[in-house]
Coordinates of all heavy atoms in Angstrom, one line a residue:
M1 N -55.1 87.5 37.9 CA -54.2 87.3 39.1 C -53.0 88.1 38.9 O -52.5 88.3 37.8 CB -53.9 85.8 39.2 CG -53.4 85.4 40.5 SD -53.5 83.6 40.6 CE -53.3 83.5 42.3
S2 N -52.4 88.6 40.0 CA -51.2 89.5 39.9 C -49.9 88.7 39.9 O -49.9 87.5 40.2 CB -51.2 90.4 41.1 OG -51.1 89.7 42.3
E3 N -48.9 89.4 39.5 CA -47.6 88.7 39.3 C -47.1 88.2 40.7 O -47.2 88.8 41.7 CB -46.5 89.7 38.8 CG -45.2 89.0 38.6 CD -44.1 90.0 38.0 OE1 -44.4 91.1 37.7 OE2 -43.0 89.5 37.9
V4 N -46.5 87.0 40.6 CA -45.9 86.4 41.8 C -44.5 86.1 41.5 O -44.1 85.8 40.4 CB -46.6 85.0 42.1 CG1 -46.0 84.3 43.3 CG2 -48.1 85.2 42.3
R5 N -43.6 86.3 42.5 CA -42.2 86.0 42.4 C -41.9 84.8 43.2 O -42.2 84.8 44.4 CB -41.4 87.2 42.8 CG -39.9 87.0 42.5 CD -39.1 88.2 42.9 NE -39.0 88.2 44.4 CZ -38.1 88.8 45.0 NH1 -37.2 89.6 44.4 NH2 -38.1 88.8 46.4
H6 N -41.3 83.8 42.6 CA -40.9 82.6 43.3 C -39.3 82.6 43.4 O -38.7 83.0 42.4 CB -41.3 81.3 42.5 CG -42.8 81.2 42.3 ND1 -43.6 80.8 43.3 CD2 -43.5 81.5 41.3 CE1 -44.8 80.8 42.9 NE2 -44.8 81.2 41.6
V7 N -38.8 82.2 44.5 CA -37.4 82.1 44.7 C -37.0 80.7 45.1 O -37.5 80.2 46.1 CB -36.8 83.1 45.8 CG1 -35.3 82.9 45.9 CG2 -37.2 84.5 45.4
L8 N -36.2 80.0 44.2 CA -35.7 78.7 44.5 C -34.3 78.8 45.0 O -33.5 79.5 44.4 CB -35.8 77.8 43.3 CG -37.1 77.7 42.6 CD1 -37.0 76.7 41.5 CD2 -38.2 77.2 43.6
V9 N -34.0 78.2 46.2 CA -32.6 78.3 46.8 C -31.9 77.0 46.5 O -32.5 75.9 46.8 CB -32.7 78.5 48.3 CG1 -31.3 78.6 48.9 CG2 -33.5 79.8 48.6
L10 N -30.8 77.1 45.8 CA -30.0 75.9 45.4 C -28.6 75.9 46.1 O -28.1 76.9 46.3 CB -30.0 75.8 43.9 CG -31.4 75.6 43.4 CD1 -31.5 76.2 42.0 CD2 -31.9 74.2 43.4
P11 N -28.0 74.7 46.3 CA -26.8 74.6 47.0 C -25.5 75.1 46.3 O -24.6 75.5 47.0 CB -26.7 73.1 47.4 CG -27.4 72.4 46.3 CD -28.6 73.4 45.9
D12 N -25.5 75.0 45.0 CA -24.3 75.5 44.3 C -24.6 75.9 42.9 O -25.7 75.7 42.4 CB -23.2 74.4 44.3 CG -23.7 73.1 43.7 OD1 -24.3 73.1 42.5 OD2 -23.6 72.0 44.3
R13 N -23.6 76.5 42.2 CA -23.8 77.1 40.9 C -24.2 76.0 39.9 O -25.1 76.2 39.0 CB -22.6 77.8 40.5 CG -22.8 78.5 39.2 CD -21.5 79.3 38.7 NE -21.9 80.0 37.5 CZ -21.4 81.2 37.3 NH1 -20.6 81.8 38.1 NH2 -21.8 81.8 36.2
D14 N -23.5 74.9 39.9 CA -23.8 73.8 39.0 C -25.3 73.4 39.0 O -25.9 73.2 38.0 CB -22.9 72.6 39.1 CG -21.5 72.9 38.8 OD1 -21.2 73.9 38.0 OD2 -20.6 72.2 39.2
A15 N -25.8 73.2 40.3 CA -27.2 72.8 40.4 C -28.1 73.9 39.9 O -29.1 73.6 39.3 CB -27.4 72.5 41.9
A16 N -27.7 75.1 40.2 CA -28.6 76.2 39.8 C -28.7 76.4 38.3 O -29.7 76.6 37.8 CB -28.1 77.5 40.5
E17 N -27.5 76.2 37.7 CA -27.5 76.4 36.2 C -28.3 75.2 35.5 O -29.1 75.4 34.6 CB -26.1 76.4 35.7 CG -25.4 77.7 36.0 CD -23.9 77.8 35.6 OE1 -23.3 76.7 35.4 OE2 -23.4 78.9 35.6
A18 N -28.1 74.0 36.1 CA -28.8 72.9 35.5 C -30.3 73.0 35.8 O -31.2 72.7 34.9 CB -28.3 71.6 36.1
A19 N -30.7 73.4 37.0 CA -32.1 73.6 37.3 C -32.7 74.7 36.5 O -33.9 74.6 36.1 CB -32.2 73.9 38.8
A20 N -32.0 75.8 36.2 CA -32.6 76.9 35.4 C -32.9 76.3 34.0 O -34.0 76.7 33.5 CB -31.6 78.0 35.3
E21 N -32.1 75.5 33.4 CA -32.4 74.9 32.1 C -33.6 74.0 32.2 O -34.5 74.0 31.4 CB -31.1 74.2 31.6 CG -31.3 73.7 30.2 CD -30.0 73.1 29.7 OE1 -28.9 73.6 30.0 OE2 -30.1 72.1 29.0
A22 N -33.6 73.1 33.2 CA -34.7 72.2 33.4 C -36.0 72.9 33.7 O -37.1 72.4 33.3 CB -34.4 71.2 34.5
L23 N -36.0 74.0 34.4 CA -37.2 74.7 34.7 C -37.9 75.2 33.5 O -39.2 75.0 33.4 CB -36.8 76.0 35.5 CG -36.9 75.9 37.0 CD1 -36.3 77.2 37.6 CD2 -38.3 75.7 37.5
G24 N -37.2 75.7 32.5 CA -37.8 76.2 31.3 C -38.5 75.1 30.5 O -39.6 75.2 30.0
E25 N -37.9 73.9 30.5 CA -38.4 72.8 29.8 C -39.7 72.2 30.6 O -40.7 71.9 29.9 CB -37.4 71.7 29.7 CG -36.2 72.1 28.8 CD -35.0 71.1 28.9 OE1 -35.2 70.0 29.6 OE2 -34.0 71.4 28.4
R26 N -39.6 72.1 31.9 CA -40.7 71.5 32.6 C -41.9 72.4 32.8 O -43.0 71.9 32.7 CB -40.2 71.0 34.0 CG -41.3 70.2 34.7 CD -40.9 69.6 36.0 NE -39.7 68.8 35.9 CZ -39.1 68.2 36.9 NH1 -39.6 68.3 38.1 NH2 -38.0 67.5 36.8
F27 N -41.7 73.7 33.0 CA -42.8 74.6 33.3 C -43.1 75.6 32.2 O -44.0 76.4 32.4 CB -42.4 75.4 34.6 CG -42.4 74.5 35.8 CD1 -41.1 74.0 36.3 CD2 -43.5 74.1 36.5 CE1 -41.1 73.2 37.4 CE2 -43.4 73.3 37.6 CZ -42.2 72.9 38.1
A28 N -42.5 75.4 31.0 CA -42.8 76.3 29.9 C -42.8 77.8 30.3 O -43.8 78.5 30.1 CB -44.1 75.9 29.2
L29 N -41.7 78.3 30.9 CA -41.6 79.6 31.4 C -41.6 80.6 30.2 O -41.0 80.4 29.2 CB -40.3 79.8 32.2 CG -40.2 78.9 33.4 CD1 -38.8 79.2 34.1 CD2 -41.3 79.1 34.4
E30 N -42.2 81.8 30.5 CA -42.2 82.8 29.4 C -40.9 83.5 29.4 O -40.5 84.0 28.3 CB -43.3 83.8 29.7 CG -44.7 83.2 29.5 CD -45.8 84.2 29.8 OE1 -45.6 85.4 29.8 OE2 -47.0 83.7 29.9
E31 N -40.2 83.6 30.5 CA -38.9 84.3 30.5 C -37.9 83.4 31.4 O -38.3 82.7 32.2 CB -38.9 85.7 31.1 CG -39.3 85.8 32.5 CD -39.4 87.3 32.9 OE1 -40.2 88.0 32.4 OE2 -38.5 87.7 33.8
E32 N -36.6 83.5 31.0 CA -35.6 82.7 31.7 C -35.5 83.2 33.2 O -35.6 84.4 33.5 CB -34.3 83.0 31.0 CG -33.3 81.9 31.3 CD -32.1 82.0 30.3 OE1 -32.3 82.1 29.1 OE2 -31.0 82.0 30.8
P33 N -35.3 82.2 34.1 CA -35.2 82.6 35.5 C -33.9 83.4 35.7 O -32.9 83.2 35.0 CB -35.1 81.3 36.3 CG -35.1 80.2 35.2 CD -35.3 80.8 33.9
Q34 N -33.9 84.2 36.7 CA -32.7 85.0 37.0 C -31.9 84.2 38.0 O -32.4 83.8 39.0 CB -33.1 86.4 37.6 CG -32.0 87.3 38.0 CD -32.5 88.6 38.6 OE1 -33.7 88.7 38.9 NE2 -31.6 89.4 38.9
L35 N -30.6 84.1 37.7 CA -29.6 83.4 38.5 C -28.9 84.4 39.4 O -28.3 85.3 38.8 CB -28.7 82.5 37.7 CG -27.7 81.6 38.3 CD1 -28.4 80.6 39.1 CD2 -26.8 81.0 37.3
V36 N -28.9 84.2 40.7 CA -28.3 85.2 41.6 C -27.5 84.4 42.7 O -27.9 83.5 43.3 CB -29.4 86.0 42.4 CG1 -28.8 87.0 43.3 CG2 -30.3 86.7 41.4
R37 N -26.2 84.9 42.9 CA -25.4 84.3 43.9 C -25.7 85.0 45.2 O -25.7 86.3 45.3 CB -23.9 84.5 43.6 CG -23.0 83.9 44.6 CD -21.5 84.2 44.3 NE -20.6 83.7 45.3 CZ -20.2 84.3 46.3 NH1 -20.5 85.6 46.5 NH2 -19.4 83.8 47.2
D38 N -25.9 84.3 46.3 CA -26.3 84.8 47.6 C -25.3 84.4 48.6 O -25.4 83.3 49.1 CB -27.7 84.3 48.0 CG -28.2 85.0 49.3 OD1 -27.8 86.1 49.6 OD2 -28.9 84.3 50.0
A39 N -24.2 85.2 48.8 CA -23.2 84.9 49.8 C -23.8 84.8 51.2 O -24.6 85.7 51.6 CB -22.1 85.9 49.7
L40 N -23.4 83.8 52.0 CA -23.9 83.7 53.3 C -23.2 84.8 54.2 O -22.1 85.2 53.9 CB -23.6 82.3 53.9 CG -24.2 81.2 53.1 CD1 -23.8 79.9 53.7 CD2 -25.7 81.3 53.1
A41 N -23.9 85.3 55.1 CA -23.4 86.4 56.0 C -22.0 86.1 56.5 O -21.8 85.1 57.1 CB -24.4 86.7 57.1
G42 N -21.1 87.1 56.3 CA -19.8 87.0 56.9 C -18.9 86.0 56.1 O -17.7 85.8 56.5
E43 N -19.3 85.4 55.0 CA -18.5 84.5 54.3 C -18.0 85.1 53.0 O -18.8 85.6 52.2 CB -19.3 83.2 54.0 CG -19.7 82.5 55.2 CD -18.6 81.9 56.0 OE1 -17.5 81.7 55.5 OE2 -18.8 81.7 57.2
D44 N -16.7 85.0 52.7 CA -16.1 85.5 51.5 C -15.8 84.4 50.5 O -15.6 84.6 49.3 CB -14.8 86.3 51.7 CG -15.1 87.5 52.5 OD1 -16.2 88.2 52.3 OD2 -14.2 87.9 53.3
D45 N -15.8 83.2 51.0 CA -15.4 82.0 50.2 C -16.6 81.7 49.2 O -17.7 81.5 49.6 CB -15.1 80.8 51.1 CG -14.6 79.6 50.4 OD1 -14.6 79.6 49.1 OD2 -14.2 78.7 51.0
A46 N -16.3 81.5 47.9 CA -17.3 81.2 47.0 C -18.0 79.9 47.3 O -19.1 79.7 46.9 CB -16.7 81.1 45.6
E47 N -17.4 79.0 48.0 CA -18.0 77.7 48.4 C -19.1 77.9 49.4 O -20.0 77.1 49.5 CB -16.9 76.8 49.0 CG -15.9 76.4 48.0 CD -16.4 75.6 46.8 OE1 -17.2 74.7 47.0 OE2 -16.0 75.9 45.7
D48 N -19.1 79.0 50.1 CA -20.1 79.3 51.1 C -21.2 80.2 50.6 O -21.5 81.2 51.2 CB -19.5 79.9 52.4 CG -18.6 78.9 53.1 OD1 -18.9 77.7 53.1 OD2 -17.5 79.3 53.6
A49 N -21.7 79.8 49.4 CA -22.8 80.7 48.8 C -23.9 79.8 48.4 O -23.7 78.6 48.1 CB -22.2 81.4 47.6
Q50 N -25.1 80.3 48.4 CA -26.2 79.7 47.9 C -26.5 80.4 46.6 O -26.2 81.5 46.4 CB -27.5 79.8 48.8 CG -27.3 79.1 50.1 CD -28.4 79.5 51.1 OE1 -29.0 80.5 51.1 NE2 -28.7 78.5 51.9
W51 N -27.2 79.7 45.7 CA -27.6 80.2 44.4 C -29.1 80.3 44.4 O -29.8 79.3 44.7 CB -27.0 79.4 43.3 CG -25.5 79.7 43.2 CD1 -24.6 79.1 44.0 CD2 -24.9 80.6 42.4 NE1 -23.3 79.6 43.6 CE2 -23.5 80.5 42.6 CE3 -25.3 81.5 41.4 CZ2 -22.5 81.3 42.0 CZ3 -24.3 82.2 40.7 CH2 -23.0 82.1 41.0
L52 N -29.6 81.4 43.9 CA -31.0 81.6 43.8 C -31.5 81.7 42.4 O -30.8 82.2 41.5 CB -31.4 83.0 44.5 CG -30.9 83.2 45.9 CD1 -31.3 84.6 46.3 CD2 -31.3 82.2 46.9
L53 N -32.6 81.0 42.1 CA -33.3 81.2 40.9 C -34.6 82.0 41.1 O -35.4 81.6 41.9 CB -33.7 79.8 40.3 CG -32.5 79.0 39.7 CD1 -33.1 77.7 39.2 CD2 -31.8 79.7 38.6
V54 N -34.7 83.1 40.5 CA -35.8 84.0 40.7 C -36.7 83.9 39.5 O -36.3 84.1 38.4 CB -35.4 85.5 40.9 CG1 -36.6 86.4 41.2 CG2 -34.4 85.6 42.1
L55 N -38.0 83.5 39.7 CA -38.9 83.3 38.7 C -40.0 84.4 38.8 O -40.6 84.5 39.9 CB -39.6 81.9 38.8 CG -38.7 80.8 38.9 CD1 -39.4 79.5 39.3 CD2 -38.0 80.5 37.6
H56 N -40.3 85.1 37.7 CA -41.4 86.0 37.7 C -42.6 85.3 37.0 O -42.5 85.0 35.8 CB -41.0 87.3 37.0 CG -39.9 88.0 37.7 ND1 -40.2 88.8 38.8 CD2 -38.6 88.1 37.5 CE1 -39.0 89.3 39.2 NE2 -38.0 88.9 38.4
D57 N -43.6 85.1 37.8 CA -44.8 84.4 37.3 C -45.9 85.4 37.1 O -46.7 85.7 38.0 CB -45.2 83.4 38.4 CG -46.4 82.5 38.0 OD1 -46.8 82.6 36.8 OD2 -46.9 81.8 38.9
E58 N -45.9 86.1 35.9 CA -46.8 87.2 35.6 C -48.3 86.8 35.8 O -49.1 87.7 36.2 CB -46.5 87.8 34.3 CG -45.2 88.4 34.2 CD -44.9 89.1 32.8 OE1 -45.9 89.3 32.1 OE2 -43.7 89.3 32.5
R59 N -48.6 85.6 35.4 CA -50.0 85.2 35.5 C -50.4 84.5 36.8 O -51.5 84.1 37.0 CB -50.4 84.3 34.3 CG -50.3 85.1 33.0 CD -50.5 84.1 31.8 NE -49.4 83.1 31.9 CZ -49.2 82.2 31.0 NH1 -50.0 82.1 29.9 NH2 -48.2 81.4 31.1
G60 N -49.4 84.2 37.6 CA -49.6 83.5 38.9 C -50.1 82.1 38.6 O -50.8 81.5 39.3
S61 N -49.5 81.5 37.5 CA -50.0 80.2 37.1 C -49.0 79.0 37.5 O -49.4 77.9 37.4 CB -50.1 80.1 35.6 OG -48.9 80.4 35.0
L62 N -47.9 79.3 38.1 CA -47.0 78.3 38.5 C -47.4 77.7 39.9 O -47.8 78.5 40.8 CB -45.5 78.8 38.7 CG -44.9 79.2 37.4 CD1 -43.5 79.8 37.6 CD2 -44.7 78.0 36.4
D63 N -47.5 76.4 40.0 CA -47.9 75.7 41.2 C -46.8 75.7 42.2 O -45.7 75.1 42.0 CB -48.4 74.3 40.9 CG -48.8 73.5 42.1 OD1 -49.0 74.1 43.2 OD2 -49.0 72.3 41.9
P64 N -47.0 76.4 43.4 CA -45.9 76.4 44.4 C -45.5 75.0 44.9 O -44.3 74.7 45.1 CB -46.5 77.2 45.6 CG -47.5 78.1 44.9 CD -48.1 77.2 43.8
S65 N -46.4 74.1 44.9 CA -46.1 72.7 45.4 C -45.2 72.0 44.3 O -44.3 71.3 44.7 CB -47.4 71.9 45.5 OG -48.2 72.4 46.6
A66 N -45.5 72.2 43.1 CA -44.7 71.7 42.0 C -43.3 72.3 42.0 O -42.3 71.6 41.8 CB -45.3 71.9 40.6
L67 N -43.2 73.6 42.3 CA -41.9 74.2 42.4 C -41.1 73.7 43.7 O -39.9 73.5 43.6 CB -42.0 75.7 42.5 CG -42.5 76.4 41.2 CD1 -42.8 77.9 41.4 CD2 -41.5 76.2 40.1
D68 N -41.8 73.5 44.8 CA -41.2 72.9 46.0 C -40.6 71.5 45.6 O -39.4 71.2 45.9 CB -42.2 72.6 47.1 CG -42.6 73.9 47.8 OD1 -41.8 74.8 47.9 OD2 -43.7 73.9 48.4
A69 N -41.3 70.7 44.9 CA -40.9 69.3 44.6 C -39.7 69.4 43.6 O -38.7 68.7 43.7 CB -42.0 68.5 43.9
F70 N -39.8 70.4 42.6 CA -38.7 70.6 41.7 C -37.4 71.0 42.4 O -36.3 70.4 42.1 CB -39.1 71.6 40.6 CG -38.0 71.9 39.6 CD1 -37.9 71.1 38.5 CD2 -37.1 72.9 39.8 CE1 -36.8 71.4 37.6 CE2 -36.1 73.2 38.9 CZ -36.0 72.4 37.8
A71 N -37.5 72.0 43.3 CA -36.3 72.4 44.0 C -35.7 71.3 44.8 O -34.4 71.1 44.9 CB -36.6 73.6 44.9
G72 N -36.5 70.4 45.4 CA -36.1 69.3 46.2 C -35.2 68.3 45.3 O -34.3 67.7 45.9
E73 N -35.6 68.2 44.1 CA -34.8 67.3 43.2 C -33.4 67.8 43.0 O -32.5 67.0 42.7 CB -35.4 67.3 41.8 CG -36.8 66.6 41.8 CD -37.5 66.8 40.4 OE1 -36.8 67.0 39.4 OE2 -38.7 66.7 40.4
W74 N -33.1 69.0 43.3 CA -31.8 69.6 43.2 C -31.2 69.9 44.6 O -30.3 70.7 44.7 CB -31.8 70.9 42.4 CG -32.4 70.7 41.0 CD1 -33.7 70.8 40.7 CD2 -31.8 70.2 39.9 NE1 -33.9 70.5 39.4 CE2 -32.7 70.1 38.8 CE3 -30.4 69.9 39.6 CZ2 -32.4 69.7 37.5 CZ3 -30.1 69.5 38.3 CH2 -31.1 69.4 37.3
D75 N -31.7 69.3 45.6 CA -31.3 69.5 47.0 C -31.5 71.0 47.4 O -30.7 71.5 48.2 CB -29.8 69.1 47.2 CG -29.6 67.6 47.1 OD1 -30.6 66.8 47.4 OD2 -28.6 67.2 46.6
G76 N -32.5 71.6 47.0 CA -32.9 72.9 47.3 C -34.3 73.1 47.8 O -34.9 72.1 48.2
W77 N -34.7 74.3 47.9 CA -36.1 74.5 48.4 C -36.6 75.8 47.8 O -35.9 76.6 47.2 CB -36.1 74.6 49.9 CG -35.3 75.7 50.5 CD1 -35.8 77.0 50.8 CD2 -33.9 75.8 50.9 NE1 -34.8 77.8 51.3 CE2 -33.6 77.0 51.4 CE3 -32.9 74.8 50.8 CZ2 -32.4 77.4 51.8 CZ3 -31.7 75.1 51.2 CH2 -31.4 76.4 51.7
R78 N -37.9 76.0 48.0 CA -38.6 77.3 47.5 C -38.8 78.1 48.7 O -39.4 77.7 49.7 CB -39.9 77.0 46.8 CG -40.6 78.2 46.2 CD -41.9 77.8 45.6 NE -42.8 77.3 46.6 CZ -43.7 78.0 47.4 NH1 -43.7 79.4 47.3 NH2 -44.4 77.5 48.3
E79 N -38.4 79.4 48.6 CA -38.7 80.4 49.7 C -40.1 80.8 49.6 O -40.6 81.1 48.5 CB -37.8 81.6 49.6 CG -36.3 81.3 50.0 CD -36.2 81.2 51.5 OE1 -36.7 82.0 52.3 OE2 -35.5 80.2 51.9
E80 N -40.8 81.0 50.7 CA -42.1 81.5 50.7 C -42.0 83.0 50.4 O -41.1 83.7 50.9 CB -42.8 81.3 52.1 CG -43.2 79.8 52.3 CD -44.3 79.4 51.4 OE1 -45.2 80.1 51.0 OE2 -44.2 78.2 51.0
P81 N -42.9 83.6 49.6 CA -42.9 85.0 49.3 C -43.2 85.9 50.6 O -43.7 85.4 51.5 CB -44.0 85.2 48.3 CG -44.7 83.9 48.1 CD -44.0 82.9 48.9

């Protein structure tokens, strides 16, 4: 199976950092997720940003439904590729 990239959208940096740590424990990731700040269009205020966790799933083994549920625990969601 080819590599899949999953993107989890989280509401703030604290949630994103905590989720990144929990992701590795729950899903036994081979590499740490990439944490990216995504400023909303036209907003300069740091409060108006979403945080993204980008996961590279080289074997395509992560279950999208499980990632959806995980992101929901942090008031976030998984973007469809």
Side-chain angles (χ1 to χ4, degrees):
M1 197 164 197
S2 63
E3 179 180 0
V4 176
R5 186 179 75 159
H6 300 281
V7 177
L8 305 183
V9 182
L10 298 154
D12 58 50
R13 184 179 188 143
D14 290 340
E17 289 175 343
E21 186 175 320
L23 264 171
E25 294 169 7
R26 187 174 306 179
F27 294 98
L29 301 177
E30 292 182 14
E31 66 180 66
E32 201 169 309
Q34 181 182 4
L35 184 63
V36 179
R37 181 181 178 270
D38 184 33
L40 300 176
E43 298 294 336
D44 293 326
D45 188 352
E47 296 298 316
D48 293 323
Q50 296 173 327
W51 288 82
L52 310 177
L53 287 178
V54 180
L55 310 165
H56 296 281
D57 183 10
E58 292 182 20
R59 295 175 298 187
S61 60
L62 293 173
D63 178 10
S65 297
L67 291 173
D68 282 334
F70 178 85
E73 293 173 21
W74 304 93
D75 295 325
W77 65 90
R78 183 182 62 87
E79 285 288 314
E80 288 294 327

